Coordinates of all heavy atoms in Angstrom, one line a residue:
M5 N -138.6 58.5 73.9 CA -137.2 59.0 73.9 C -136.8 59.1 72.4 O -136.0 59.9 72.1 CB -136.3 58.0 74.7 CG -134.9 58.6 74.8 SD -134.1 57.7 76.0 CE -132.4 57.8 75.4
I6 N -137.3 58.2 71.6 CA -136.9 58.3 70.2 C -137.4 59.6 69.5 O -136.7 60.2 68.8 CB -137.5 57.1 69.4 CG1 -137.0 55.8 69.9 CG2 -137.3 57.2 67.9 CD1 -135.5 55.6 69.7
L7 N -138.6 60.0 69.9 CA -139.1 61.3 69.4 C -138.3 62.5 69.9 O -138.1 63.5 69.2 CB -140.6 61.4 69.7 CG -141.5 60.5 69.0 CD1 -143.0 60.7 69.4 CD2 -141.4 60.7 67.5
E8 N -137.9 62.4 71.2 CA -137.0 63.5 71.7 C -135.7 63.5 70.9 O -135.2 64.6 70.6 CB -136.7 63.2 73.2 CG -137.9 63.4 74.1 CD -137.6 63.1 75.5 OE1 -136.4 62.7 75.8 OE2 -138.4 63.3 76.4
A9 N -135.1 62.4 70.6 CA -133.9 62.4 69.9 C -134.1 62.9 68.5 O -133.2 63.7 68.0 CB -133.3 61.0 69.9
L10 N -135.1 62.5 67.8 CA -135.4 63.0 66.5 C -135.7 64.5 66.5 O -135.2 65.3 65.6 CB -136.6 62.3 65.9 CG -136.9 62.6 64.4 CD1 -135.8 62.3 63.5 CD2 -138.2 61.9 64.0
G11 N -136.5 65.0 67.4 CA -136.8 66.4 67.6 C -135.5 67.2 67.9 O -135.3 68.3 67.3
S12 N -134.7 66.7 68.7 CA -133.5 67.4 69.1 C -132.5 67.5 67.9 O -131.8 68.5 67.7 CB -132.8 66.8 70.3 OG -132.3 65.5 70.0
A13 N -132.5 66.4 67.1 CA -131.6 66.4 65.9 C -132.1 67.4 64.9 O -131.3 68.1 64.3 CB -131.6 65.0 65.3
L14 N -133.4 67.5 64.7 CA -134.0 68.5 63.8 C -133.7 70.0 64.3 O -133.4 70.9 63.6 CB -135.5 68.3 63.6 CG -135.8 67.1 62.8 CD1 -137.3 66.9 62.8 CD2 -135.3 67.2 61.4
L15 N -133.8 70.2 65.6 CA -133.5 71.5 66.2 C -132.1 71.8 66.1 O -131.7 73.0 65.8 CB -134.0 71.5 67.7 CG -135.4 71.6 67.9 CD1 -135.7 71.5 69.4 CD2 -136.0 73.0 67.4
G16 N -131.2 70.9 66.3 CA -129.8 71.1 66.2 C -129.4 71.4 64.7 O -128.5 72.2 64.4
F17 N -130.0 70.7 63.8 CA -129.8 70.9 62.4 C -130.2 72.3 62.0 O -129.5 73.0 61.2 CB -130.5 69.8 61.5 CG -130.2 69.9 60.1 CD1 -129.0 69.4 59.6 CD2 -131.1 70.5 59.2 CE1 -128.7 69.5 58.2 CE2 -130.8 70.6 57.8 CZ -129.7 70.1 57.3
A18 N -131.4 72.7 62.5 CA -131.9 74.1 62.2 C -131.0 75.1 62.8 O -130.7 76.1 62.1 CB -133.3 74.2 62.7
L19 N -130.5 74.9 64.0 CA -129.6 75.9 64.6 C -128.3 75.9 63.8 O -127.8 77.0 63.6 CB -129.3 75.5 66.0 CG -128.4 76.4 66.8 CD1 -129.0 77.7 67.1 CD2 -128.0 75.7 68.2
A20 N -127.8 74.8 63.4 CA -126.5 74.8 62.6 C -126.7 75.4 61.2 O -125.9 76.1 60.7 CB -126.0 73.4 62.4
W21 N -127.9 75.2 60.6 CA -128.2 75.8 59.3 C -128.2 77.3 59.5 O -127.7 78.1 58.6 CB -129.5 75.3 58.7 CG -129.8 75.9 57.4 CD1 -129.3 75.5 56.2 CD2 -130.6 77.1 57.2 NE1 -129.8 76.3 55.2 CE2 -130.6 77.3 55.8 CE3 -131.3 77.9 58.0 CZ2 -131.3 78.3 55.2 CZ3 -132.0 78.9 57.4 CH2 -132.0 79.1 56.0
A22 N -128.9 77.8 60.5 CA -128.9 79.3 60.8 C -127.6 79.9 61.0 O -127.2 80.9 60.5 CB -129.9 79.6 61.9
A23 N -126.7 79.1 61.8 CA -125.4 79.6 62.0 C -124.5 79.6 60.7 O -123.8 80.6 60.4 CB -124.7 78.8 63.1
A24 N -124.7 78.6 59.9 CA -123.9 78.5 58.7 C -124.4 79.6 57.7 O -123.6 80.1 56.9 CB -124.0 77.1 58.1
H25 N -125.7 79.9 57.7 CA -126.2 80.9 56.8 C -125.8 82.3 57.3 O -125.6 83.2 56.4 CB -127.7 80.7 56.8 CG -128.4 81.7 55.8 ND1 -128.3 81.6 54.5 CD2 -129.2 82.8 56.0 CE1 -129.0 82.6 53.9 NE2 -129.5 83.3 54.8
R26 N -125.8 82.5 58.6 CA -125.5 83.8 59.1 C -124.0 84.1 59.1 O -123.6 85.3 58.9 CB -126.1 83.9 60.5 CG -125.9 85.2 61.2 CD -127.2 85.9 61.4 NE -127.0 87.0 62.3 CZ -127.3 88.2 61.9 NH1 -128.0 88.4 60.8 NH2 -127.1 89.3 62.7
L27 N -123.2 83.1 59.4 CA -121.7 83.4 59.6 C -120.9 82.5 58.7 O -120.0 81.7 59.2 CB -121.3 83.1 61.0 CG -122.0 83.9 62.1 CD1 -121.7 83.3 63.5 CD2 -121.5 85.4 62.0
P28 N -121.1 82.5 57.4 CA -120.3 81.5 56.5 C -118.8 81.8 56.5 O -118.0 80.9 56.3 CB -121.0 81.7 55.2 CG -121.5 83.1 55.2 CD -121.9 83.4 56.6
H29 N -118.4 83.1 56.7 CA -117.0 83.4 56.6 C -116.2 83.1 57.9 O -115.0 83.0 57.9 CB -116.9 84.9 56.3 CG -117.5 85.8 57.3 ND1 -118.9 85.9 57.4 CD2 -117.0 86.5 58.4 CE1 -119.2 86.7 58.4 NE2 -118.1 87.1 59.0
R30 N -116.9 82.8 59.0 CA -116.3 82.5 60.2 C -116.4 81.0 60.6 O -115.9 80.6 61.7 CB -116.8 83.3 61.3 CG -116.5 84.8 61.1 CD -116.8 85.7 62.2 NE -116.1 85.3 63.4 CZ -116.4 85.8 64.6 NH1 -117.3 86.7 64.7 NH2 -115.7 85.4 65.6
L31 N -117.0 80.2 59.8 CA -117.2 78.8 60.1 C -116.5 77.9 59.1 O -116.3 78.3 57.9 CB -118.7 78.4 60.2 CG -119.5 79.0 61.3 CD1 -121.0 78.8 61.1 CD2 -119.1 78.3 62.6
P32 N -116.1 76.7 59.5 CA -115.5 75.8 58.5 C -116.6 75.3 57.5 O -117.6 75.9 57.3 CB -115.0 74.6 59.3 CG -115.7 74.7 60.6 CD -116.1 76.1 60.8
A33 N -116.3 74.2 56.8 CA -117.2 73.7 55.8 C -118.6 73.4 56.3 O -118.8 73.1 57.4 CB -116.6 72.4 55.2
R34 N -119.6 73.7 55.4 CA -121.0 73.6 55.8 C -121.3 72.2 56.3 O -122.1 72.1 57.2 CB -121.8 74.0 54.6 CG -123.3 74.1 55.0 CD -124.1 74.5 53.8 NE -123.9 76.0 53.5 CZ -124.8 76.9 53.9 NH1 -125.9 76.5 54.5 NH2 -124.6 78.1 53.6
N35 N -120.8 71.2 55.7 CA -121.1 69.8 56.1 C -120.7 69.5 57.5 O -121.4 68.9 58.3 CB -120.4 68.8 55.1 CG -120.9 68.8 53.8 OD1 -122.1 69.2 53.5 ND2 -120.1 68.4 52.8
L36 N -119.5 70.0 57.9 CA -119.0 69.9 59.3 C -120.0 70.6 60.2 O -120.3 70.1 61.3 CB -117.6 70.4 59.4 CG -117.0 70.3 60.8 CD1 -116.8 68.9 61.2 CD2 -115.7 71.1 60.8
V37 N -120.4 71.8 59.9 CA -121.2 72.6 60.8 C -122.6 71.9 61.0 O -123.1 71.8 62.1 CB -121.4 74.0 60.2 CG1 -122.4 74.8 61.0 CG2 -120.0 74.8 60.2
L38 N -123.2 71.5 59.9 CA -124.5 70.9 60.0 C -124.5 69.5 60.7 O -125.3 69.3 61.5 CB -125.1 70.6 58.6 CG -125.4 71.9 57.7 CD1 -125.8 71.5 56.4 CD2 -126.4 72.8 58.4
S39 N -123.4 68.8 60.5 CA -123.3 67.5 61.3 C -123.0 67.7 62.7 O -123.5 67.0 63.6 CB -122.3 66.6 60.6 OG -121.0 67.1 60.7
T40 N -122.2 68.7 63.0 CA -121.9 69.0 64.4 C -123.1 69.5 65.2 O -123.4 69.1 66.3 CB -120.8 70.1 64.5 OG1 -119.6 69.6 63.9 CG2 -120.5 70.5 66.0
G41 N -124.0 70.3 64.5 CA -125.2 70.8 65.2 C -126.1 69.6 65.5 O -126.7 69.5 66.6
A42 N -126.3 68.7 64.5 CA -127.3 67.6 64.7 C -126.8 66.6 65.7 O -127.5 66.2 66.6 CB -127.6 66.9 63.4
V43 N -125.5 66.2 65.6 CA -124.9 65.3 66.5 C -124.8 65.9 67.9 O -125.1 65.2 68.9 CB -123.6 64.8 66.0 CG1 -122.9 63.9 67.1 CG2 -123.8 64.0 64.8
G44 N -124.5 67.1 68.0 CA -124.4 67.8 69.4 C -125.7 67.8 70.0 O -125.8 67.6 71.2
A45 N -126.8 68.0 69.3 CA -128.1 68.1 69.8 C -128.6 66.7 70.3 O -129.2 66.6 71.4 CB -129.1 68.7 68.8
V46 N -128.2 65.7 69.6 CA -128.6 64.3 70.0 C -127.9 63.9 71.3 O -128.5 63.4 72.2 CB -128.4 63.3 68.8 CG1 -128.5 61.9 69.3 CG2 -129.3 63.6 67.7
I47 N -126.6 64.2 71.3 CA -125.8 64.0 72.5 C -126.4 64.8 73.7 O -126.5 64.3 74.8 CB -124.3 64.2 72.3 CG1 -123.8 63.2 71.3 CG2 -123.5 64.2 73.6 CD1 -122.4 63.5 70.9
G48 N -126.7 66.0 73.4 CA -127.3 66.9 74.5 C -128.6 66.3 74.9 O -129.0 66.4 76.1
S49 N -129.4 65.8 74.0 CA -130.7 65.2 74.4 C -130.5 64.0 75.3 O -131.2 63.9 76.3 CB -131.4 64.8 73.1 OG -132.6 64.1 73.4
F50 N -129.5 63.2 75.0 CA -129.3 62.0 75.8 C -128.8 62.4 77.2 O -129.2 61.9 78.2 CB -128.3 61.0 75.2 CG -128.9 60.3 74.0 CD1 -128.2 60.1 72.9 CD2 -130.2 59.8 74.0 CE1 -128.7 59.4 71.8 CE2 -130.7 59.1 73.0 CZ -130.0 58.9 71.8
V51 N -127.9 63.4 77.3 CA -127.3 63.8 78.6 C -128.4 64.5 79.4 O -128.6 64.2 80.6 CB -126.2 64.8 78.3 CG1 -125.8 65.5 79.6 CG2 -125.0 64.0 77.7
T52 N -129.2 65.3 78.8 CA -130.3 66.0 79.5 C -131.4 65.0 79.9 O -132.0 65.1 81.0 CB -130.9 67.1 78.7 OG1 -129.8 67.9 78.1 CG2 -131.8 68.0 79.5
H53 N -131.7 64.0 79.1 CA -132.7 63.0 79.4 C -132.2 62.2 80.6 O -133.0 61.9 81.5 CB -133.0 62.1 78.2 CG -134.0 61.1 78.5 ND1 -135.4 61.4 78.5 CD2 -133.9 59.8 78.8 CE1 -136.1 60.3 78.8 NE2 -135.2 59.3 79.0
M54 N -131.0 61.9 80.7 CA -130.4 61.1 81.8 C -130.5 62.0 83.1 O -130.7 61.5 84.2 CB -129.0 60.7 81.5 CG -128.9 59.6 80.5 SD -129.7 58.2 81.0 CE -129.1 57.0 79.9
A55 N -130.2 63.3 83.0 CA -130.2 64.1 84.1 C -131.6 64.4 84.7 O -131.8 64.4 85.9 CB -129.5 65.4 83.8
L56 N -132.5 64.7 83.8 CA -133.9 65.1 84.2 C -134.8 63.9 84.4 O -135.7 63.9 85.2 CB -134.5 66.0 83.2 CG -133.8 67.4 83.0 CD1 -134.6 68.2 81.9 CD2 -133.8 68.1 84.3
G57 N -134.6 62.8 83.6 CA -135.5 61.7 83.7 C -136.6 61.8 82.6 O -136.7 62.7 81.9
A58 N -137.4 60.8 82.6 CA -138.5 60.7 81.6 C -139.6 61.7 82.0 O -139.8 62.1 83.2 CB -139.1 59.3 81.6
G59 N -140.3 62.2 81.0 CA -141.4 63.1 81.2 C -141.1 64.5 81.2 O -141.9 65.4 81.5
H60 N -139.9 64.9 80.8 CA -139.5 66.3 80.8 C -139.0 66.6 79.4 O -137.9 67.0 79.1 CB -138.3 66.5 81.8 CG -138.7 66.4 83.2 ND1 -138.6 65.2 83.9 CD2 -139.3 67.3 84.0 CE1 -139.1 65.4 85.1 NE2 -139.5 66.6 85.2
A61 N -139.9 66.4 78.4 CA -139.5 66.6 77.0 C -139.1 68.1 76.7 O -138.1 68.3 76.0 CB -140.6 66.2 76.1
P62 N -139.8 69.1 77.2 CA -139.4 70.5 76.8 C -138.0 70.8 77.4 O -137.1 71.4 76.8 CB -140.4 71.4 77.5 CG -141.6 70.5 77.6 CD -141.1 69.1 77.8
G63 N -137.7 70.3 78.6 CA -136.4 70.5 79.2 C -135.3 69.8 78.5 O -134.2 70.3 78.4
T64 N -135.7 68.6 78.0 CA -134.7 67.8 77.3 C -134.3 68.5 76.0 O -133.2 68.6 75.6 CB -135.2 66.4 77.0 OG1 -135.5 65.8 78.2 CG2 -134.3 65.6 76.2
L65 N -135.3 69.1 75.3 CA -135.1 69.8 74.1 C -134.3 71.1 74.3 O -133.4 71.5 73.5 CB -136.4 70.1 73.3 CG -137.1 68.9 72.8 CD1 -138.4 69.3 72.2 CD2 -136.3 68.1 71.8
V66 N -134.5 71.8 75.4 CA -133.8 73.0 75.7 C -132.3 72.6 76.0 O -131.4 73.3 75.5 CB -134.4 73.7 76.9 CG1 -133.5 74.8 77.5 CG2 -135.7 74.3 76.5
G67 N -132.1 71.5 76.7 CA -130.7 71.1 77.0 C -130.0 70.7 75.7 O -128.8 70.9 75.6
A68 N -130.7 70.0 74.8 CA -130.1 69.6 73.6 C -129.7 70.8 72.7 O -128.6 70.8 72.2 CB -131.1 68.8 72.8
V69 N -130.5 71.8 72.7 CA -130.2 73.0 71.9 C -129.0 73.8 72.5 O -128.1 74.3 71.9 CB -131.4 73.9 71.7 CG1 -131.0 75.3 71.2 CG2 -132.4 73.3 70.8
A70 N -129.0 73.8 73.9 CA -127.9 74.4 74.5 C -126.5 73.8 74.3 O -125.5 74.4 74.0 CB -128.2 74.5 76.0
I71 N -126.5 72.5 74.3 CA -125.3 71.7 74.1 C -124.9 71.8 72.6 O -123.7 72.0 72.3 CB -125.4 70.3 74.6 CG1 -125.4 70.3 76.1 CG2 -124.2 69.5 74.1 CD1 -125.6 69.0 76.7
S72 N -125.8 71.8 71.7 CA -125.6 72.0 70.3 C -125.0 73.4 70.0 O -124.0 73.5 69.3 CB -126.8 71.8 69.5 OG -126.6 72.0 68.1
A73 N -125.5 74.4 70.6 CA -125.0 75.8 70.5 C -123.6 75.9 71.0 O -122.7 76.6 70.5 CB -125.9 76.8 71.1
A74 N -123.3 75.2 72.2 CA -122.0 75.2 72.7 C -121.0 74.6 71.8 O -119.9 75.1 71.6 CB -122.0 74.6 74.1
L75 N -121.3 73.5 71.2 CA -120.4 72.8 70.3 C -120.2 73.6 69.0 O -119.1 73.7 68.5 CB -120.9 71.4 69.9 CG -120.8 70.4 71.0 CD1 -121.4 69.0 70.6 CD2 -119.3 70.2 71.4
L76 N -121.3 74.2 68.5 CA -121.2 75.1 67.3 C -120.3 76.3 67.6 O -119.6 76.8 66.7 CB -122.5 75.5 66.8 CG -123.3 74.4 66.1 CD1 -124.7 74.9 65.8 CD2 -122.7 74.0 64.8
S77 N -120.3 76.8 68.8 CA -119.5 78.0 69.2 C -118.0 77.7 69.2 O -117.2 78.5 69.0 CB -119.9 78.6 70.5 OG -119.5 77.7 71.6
L78 N -117.7 76.4 69.4 CA -116.3 76.0 69.3 C -115.8 76.0 67.9 O -114.5 76.0 67.7 CB -116.1 74.6 69.9 CG -116.5 74.5 71.4 CD1 -116.4 73.1 71.9 CD2 -115.5 75.4 72.2
L79 N -116.6 75.9 66.9 CA -116.2 75.9 65.5 C -115.9 77.3 65.0 O -115.3 77.5 63.9 CB -117.2 75.3 64.6 CG -117.5 73.8 64.8 CD1 -118.6 73.3 63.9 CD2 -116.2 73.0 64.6
I80 N -116.4 78.4 65.6 CA -116.2 79.7 65.1 C -114.8 80.2 65.2 O -114.1 80.1 66.2 CB -117.1 80.7 65.9 CG1 -118.6 80.3 65.7 CG2 -116.9 82.1 65.4 CD1 -119.6 81.2 66.4
R81 N -114.3 80.7 64.0 CA -112.9 81.2 64.0 C -113.0 82.7 64.2 O -114.0 83.3 63.9 CB -112.4 80.9 62.6 CG -112.2 79.4 62.3 CD -111.6 79.2 60.9 NE -112.6 79.7 59.9 CZ -112.8 79.1 58.8 NH1 -112.1 78.0 58.5 NH2 -113.6 79.5 57.9
P82 N -111.9 83.3 64.6 CA -111.8 84.7 64.8 C -112.0 85.4 63.4 O -111.5 84.9 62.4 CB -110.5 85.0 65.4 CG -109.8 83.7 65.7 CD -110.7 82.7 65.1
S83 N -112.5 86.6 63.4 CA -112.7 87.3 62.1 C -111.3 87.8 61.6 O -110.4 88.1 62.4 CB -113.6 88.5 62.2 OG -113.1 89.4 63.2
R84 N -111.1 87.8 60.3 CA -109.8 88.2 59.8 C -109.6 89.7 59.7 O -108.5 90.1 59.7 CB -109.7 87.6 58.4 CG -109.8 86.1 58.4 CD -109.7 85.6 57.0 NE -110.1 84.2 57.0 CZ -110.6 83.5 56.0 NH1 -110.9 84.2 54.9 NH2 -110.9 82.3 56.1
G85 N -110.7 90.5 59.7 CA -110.6 91.9 59.5 C -110.1 92.6 60.7 O -109.4 93.6 60.6
L86 N -110.4 92.2 61.9 CA -110.0 92.9 63.1 C -108.8 92.3 63.7 O -108.8 91.2 64.3 CB -111.2 92.9 64.1 CG -112.5 93.6 63.7 CD1 -113.5 93.4 64.7 CD2 -112.2 95.0 63.4
R87 N -107.7 93.0 63.6 CA -106.5 92.6 64.2 C -106.1 93.6 65.3 O -105.8 94.7 65.0 CB -105.3 92.5 63.2 CG -105.5 91.5 62.2 CD -104.3 90.7 62.0 NE -104.6 89.6 61.1 CZ -104.0 88.4 61.3 NH1 -103.2 88.2 62.3 NH2 -104.2 87.5 60.4
R88 N -106.2 93.2 66.5 CA -105.9 94.0 67.6 C -104.6 93.7 68.3 O -104.3 92.5 68.4 CB -107.0 94.0 68.7 CG -108.3 94.5 68.2 CD -109.3 94.5 69.2 NE -110.6 94.9 68.7 CZ -111.6 95.4 69.4 NH1 -111.5 95.6 70.7 NH2 -112.7 95.7 68.8
R89 N -103.9 94.6 68.7 CA -102.6 94.4 69.4 C -102.8 94.7 70.8 O -103.6 95.5 71.2 CB -101.5 95.3 68.8 CG -101.2 94.9 67.3 CD -100.0 95.6 66.9 NE -99.5 94.9 65.7 CZ -98.3 95.1 65.3 NH1 -97.4 95.8 65.9 NH2 -97.9 94.4 64.2
S90 N -102.0 94.0 71.6 CA -102.0 94.3 73.0 C -101.4 95.7 73.3 O -100.6 96.2 72.5 CB -101.3 93.2 73.8 OG -100.0 93.2 73.5
A91 N -101.5 96.2 74.5 CA -101.0 97.5 74.9 C -99.5 97.4 75.0 O -98.8 98.5 74.8 CB -101.6 97.9 76.2
T92 N -98.9 96.3 75.2 CA -97.4 96.2 75.3 C -96.7 96.0 74.0 O -95.5 96.2 73.9 CB -97.1 95.0 76.3 OG1 -97.6 93.8 75.7 CG2 -97.6 95.2 77.7
A93 N -97.5 95.7 72.9 CA -96.8 95.5 71.7 C -96.5 96.7 70.9 O -97.0 97.7 70.8 CB -97.7 94.6 70.8

């Protein structure tokens, strides 16, 4: 389980680094993004490990990346360039 947690933290960090590199204008500070990705993946690893049980390492890593991506998506701010108005305004 320790290796699953370490692997999921590395995967979450890599996912957060890719998001911070790709969308720097729509995300907050890089430190927050990187720590959210890693911590979200570790929490996702624990939750998925509890749900699936021992012996399902690939499934645990997939669940960790999914929860990390979900938490990172909560950090994304709307773009500043596109301002749309509703039809009634």
